[in-house]
């Protein structure tokens, strides 16, 4: 049920766009309504709302409300680029200024990953999200001149990218980063990280019964 709630906004956005004769304004309205429903559903199932959910809904409102009020789809198109850029900056600030990794900042859970490994992973992830921001800009605003297609075709390609492509790229990259980080850990750290991943997965996809801030790896320590 929680997994369905998490992907409900993306499904509503895509289906509304496809069945409303490619009307991005209607699709934006649909994603706002479905996101509010998702937030309410999470509260009903868990009795709480996570930090990540709060950030996601606030960012959505920032870009969706101008899109709906002004009826200009460019606002919602900028969302992916701006969000990816903000994530990149946030990762670097957390890691190098506030000395706290982004996972701990969002979930409240301390990771068992050594500082040297975290720094390399943080830089790689920040660079990746900046590249994704640039890619979204190109797909959202430069496809007509690059591919010699009309604006409607370009917008349809962007919606497909936003719904599928961006998520696939993120998944592949995160699996790669996690695999590299995992290979750098000791057996004890690997066990602690596995427990942390299970906790976070349960928090956002599973039953959600674990209390907020309760993390298996909190006492594991970094080397």
């Amino acid at each position: 049920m929680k997994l369905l709630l998490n992907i409900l906004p993306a499904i509503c956005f895509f289906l509304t766009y496809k069945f409303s004769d490619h009307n991005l304004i209607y699709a934006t309205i649909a994603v706002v309504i479905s996101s509010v429903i998702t937030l309410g559903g999470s509260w009903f199932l868990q009795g709480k709302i996570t930090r990540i959910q709060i950030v996601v809904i606030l960012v959505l409102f920032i870009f969706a409300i101008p899109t709906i009020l002004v009826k200009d789809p460019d606002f919602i198109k900028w969302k992916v680029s701006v969000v990816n850029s903000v994530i990149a900056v946030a990762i670097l600030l957390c890691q190098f200024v506030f000395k706290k990794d982004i996972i701990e900042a969002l979930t409240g859970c301390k990771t068992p990953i050594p500082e040297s490994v975290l720094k390399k992973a943080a830089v790689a992830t920040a660079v990746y999200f900046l590249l994704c921001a640039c890619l979204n800009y190109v797909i959202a605003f430069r496809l007509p001149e690059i591919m010699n297609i009309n604006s409607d075709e370009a917008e349809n390609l962007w919606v497909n990218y936003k719904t599928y492509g961006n998520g696939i790229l993120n998944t592949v990259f995160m699996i790669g980063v996690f695999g590299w980080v995992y290979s750098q850990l000791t057996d004890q750290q690997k066990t602690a990280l596995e427990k942390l991943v299970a906790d976070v997965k349960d928090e956002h996809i599973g039953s959600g019964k674990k209390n907020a801030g309760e993390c298996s790896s909190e006492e594991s320590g970094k080397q």
Side-chain angles (χ1 to χ4, degrees):
M1 178 60 73
K2 283 190 64 180
L3 178 59
L4 178 60
L5 280 175
N6 289 336
I7 65 175
L8 178 63
I11 294 174
C12 290
F13 177 84
F14 182 75
L15 292 180
T16 302
Y17 180 79
K18 294 299 182 181
F19 289 103
S20 65
D21 196 23
H22 293 184
N23 190 311
L24 199 51
I25 306 302
Y26 289 160
T28 302
I29 294 173
V31 78
V32 169
I33 294 173
S34 59
S35 295
V36 172
I37 293 173
T38 296
L39 210 62
S42 295
W43 178 267
F44 177 78
L45 292 174
Q46 299 177 254
K48 63 184 178 65
I49 298 173
T50 65
R51 298 176 191 177
I52 295 177
Q53 288 173 310
I54 294 173
V55 172
V56 168
I57 197 74
L58 288 177
V59 170
L60 174 63
F61 283 166
I62 289 172
F63 290 93
I65 291 175
T67 298
I68 296 168
L69 294 180
V70 184
K71 292 183 171 55
D72 184 352
D74 283 356
F75 285 104
I76 202 68
K77 289 180 180 179
W78 273 109
K79 174 178 174 285
V80 178
S81 289
V82 173
V83 168
N84 282 335
S85 299
V86 169
I87 290 174
V89 172
I91 289 171
L92 294 177
L93 286 176
C94 284
Q95 185 63 50
F96 296 101
V97 177
F98 300 108
K99 307 300 181 182
K100 180 184 291 187
D101 65 89
I102 194 68
I103 298 175
E104 182 181 351
L106 288 174
T107 66
C109 301
K110 294 182 180 180
T111 63
I113 305 172
E115 191 69 21
S116 59
V117 176
L118 270 177
K119 287 181 178 179
K120 293 177 183 178
V123 171
T125 304
V127 170
Y128 165 77
F129 278 111
L130 287 175
L131 290 175
C132 283
C134 295
L135 178 61
N136 179 76
Y137 170 76
V138 171
I139 296 175
F141 300 105
R142 291 289 177 258
L143 281 188
E145 57 192 73
I146 294 175
M147 300 180 62
N148 193 28
I149 57 179
N150 61 48
S151 58
D152 290 339
E153 292 173 320
E155 184 178 274
N156 187 54
L157 288 174
W158 175 79
V159 169
N160 290 333
Y161 166 74
K162 180 182 181 299
T163 305
Y164 302 112
N166 190 52
I168 292 173
L169 286 177
N170 289 345
T171 300
V172 171
F173 176 79
M174 291 306 172
I175 290 174
V177 168
F178 183 85
W180 176 79
V181 169
Y182 191 80
S183 69
Q184 305 300 307
L185 304 181
T186 64
D187 290 341
Q188 182 180 359
Q189 290 168 341
K190 288 178 180 179
T191 300
L193 182 60
E194 289 167 2
K195 290 180 180 179
L196 173 60
V197 171
D199 291 345
V200 174
K201 180 181 177 182
D202 184 69
E203 177 79 10
H204 297 286
I205 299 177
S207 64
K209 294 180 180 179
K210 182 175 286 295
N211 295 326
E214 183 181 342
C215 305
S216 297
S217 63
E218 192 165 349
E219 302 299 329
S220 60
K222 296 177 184 178
Q223 294 182 0

